[in-house]
Amino acid sequence: MEVPLTPLEFMRRTRRLHAHREAVIDGSQRWTYGEFFARCDRWSSALQRLGVVQGDRVAYISPNTHAQLESFYAVPQLGAVLVPLNFRLTADDFRYMIQHSGAKVVCVAHEYLEAIDSIRRDLTGVTQFVALDGAGRFDWLPYETLIANASPDFTRPAIGENDLLTINYTSGTTSRPKGVMITHRNAWMNSVGMLAHTPMTPADTYLWTLPMFHANGWTFTWTVTAAGARHVCLPKFDAATVFRLAREEQVTRLCAAPTVLIMLASAPAEVQHGTPRGVGVMTAGAPPAAVTIERIEDELGWVITQIYGLTETAPAISICEPLPEHASLPAGARARIKARQGVELITSGELRVVDEQGREVPADGTTAGEIVARGNVIMAGYYNDPDATAQCMGDGWFHTGDAAVVHPDGYVQITDRLKDVIISGGENISSVEVEAMLLRHDAIQEAAVVGLPSEKWGESPHAFVVFKSGHTASPEVLREFCRANLAHFKVPHGFTPVAELPKTATGKIQKFVLRKGRPNLSAQ
Ligand code: AMP
């Protein structure tokens, strides 16, 4: 007997067993699982009436609200494909991703209605525009009214485990994002692996500090529901609200990129006061520093578990699994182990660190190689991009582009990124994209953007620029230029003029030299 592996099975089980339990809290609103799934059903029914059929794409631009959470059930149970977009991007980015995904319906939170209105004439493939919240607007369908008027009945098609569940856009290393195709099976596997390693129960309460769009909220959009635990929505991150909700709702679990951990650890004592201890925190997205882990565990009494992965791997392919022998170590030594990315999960498949010939590197803690993986969490490929798909997984292994060493205990530790994506505040920034924008400035001849360490953001983009002969521009002018043309989180925090960029014999810019902060500054 075979039943397709899909997160929709979690929905079925939880509806049966936990319908009476509180499921979702969003501001002053609260729903039980029975009420929450009834809303999902009505929204599926409304979408069906709007013409959405199996295989259609439905895009969302929304912070962490109950409406965004509903999309993770209402869209897939129609056999349609959810496309949750990074709301921090620009109208230009939204245009590209909506067009590239071929979305039929676009659902937008009030903060982003204007951005979409500004590009609406280009979105000729979109048949319906839905405003998820806010006061009614001309030409936008109101979400709550559609749900209120919808029948609870809809036709559910047969859904296979290898059918597409979501398309999640990466920022990629080129200027254009790639659409990661995640199947029902991928998401089920990752969810079960997460739950096996860090179990939850109906007694748990999960706080949404991590954006739901980011690799489907590391599948917590489904795992919290699978456990019958409570979701507490957090549309806008700030440390004071995190601590207040942690106290008021007795939060037991949350996910946070290292930069968010730093913000939480740095909050004033009066803001942190009275926070429950023992909160289980999952961290990923960038390497967390041991000192950050130590501070959170020591000062707040929270327990950190690091996972590692990519949007392409649904996302977790490693976890820093705690071992009994770690427990007796002094706090500092334990934090240093927790700062490692760890070992493969039970469900994620095989993980190796290999050299350029594909041979495993020795487990000596010093020889670096590339992390590769194969297993049931690896994406089906990049949407409409067979070349990029073949490039990263054509040999039967998914190549992560992350460089790592293997310690003698088998635990993997990332040392660098092979690619030059900058991760600032947990979000990827393509240096190539920022460089391309800088090159459009009249005074700039060449530019290279690298991530430099930042206490607040983990790392922040920094631009090294070579001016055209007889030209110059102040950092303020360049910053304004970037702010006008890029999503603000991508704007370089600093600009260093240089006489020339360090390059290899074949003309490639040596970014590691720039990162070390030793460019030729003789031009200044
Ligand atoms: P994304 O697809 O946006 O999740 O970004 C994936 C990239 O984030 C990986 O290729 C890594 O470079 C980085 N990353 C994710 N988790 C970790 C981690 N725990 N430690 C270090 N880097 C990480």
Side-chain angles (χ1 to χ4, degrees), residues 170 214-215 218 283-288 306-312 315 341 400 402 414 417 419 423 426 428:
T170 68
H214 191 184
W218 304 349
T283 192
Q306 182 181 182
I307 58 160
Y308 154 75
L310 298 84
T311 303
E312 287 89 332
Q341 282 66 31
T400 63
D402 289 308
I414 291 179
R417 285 188 288 282
K419 55 196 177 190
I423 301 187
N428 288 9

Side-chain angles (χ1 to χ4, degrees), residues 287-290 293 306 320 334-341 412-413:
I293 295 174
Q306 182 181 182
C320 189
R334 197 167 51 246
R336 276 197 296 283
I337 289 184
K338 286 195 172 202
R340 296 176 183 168
Q341 282 66 31
V412 161
Q413 183 157 27

Side-chain angles (χ1 to χ4, degrees), residues 426-481:
E427 295 303 328
N428 288 9
I429 299 173
S430 162
S431 53
V432 176
E433 183 191 358
V434 183
E435 287 159 11
M437 182 54 65
L438 283 168
L439 290 181
R440 282 165 56 181
H441 191 278
D442 287 343
I444 294 178
Q445 179 155 316
E446 273 188 297
V449 176
V450 299
L452 295 185
S454 151
E455 216 171 68
K456 183 164 183 204
W457 302 107
E459 60 183 7
S460 56
H462 188 99
F464 292 90
V465 294
V466 179
F467 288 121
K468 289 178 186 162
S469 170
H471 285 70
T472 186
S474 68
E476 289 72 29
V477 166
L478 295 178
R479 192 170 299 117
E480 269 320 297
F481 175 77

Side-chain angles (χ1 to χ4, degrees), residues 1 14 29 34 49 138 145 167 250 268 296 308 311 336 432 437 451 462 502-504:
M1 189 182 296
T14 292
Q29 294 176 289
R49 287 205 53 163
F138 173 68
T145 312
I167 298 177
Q250 288 297 299
I296 293 274
Y308 154 75
T311 303
R336 276 197 296 283
V432 176
M437 182 54 65
H462 188 99
K503 290 187 189 145
T504 64

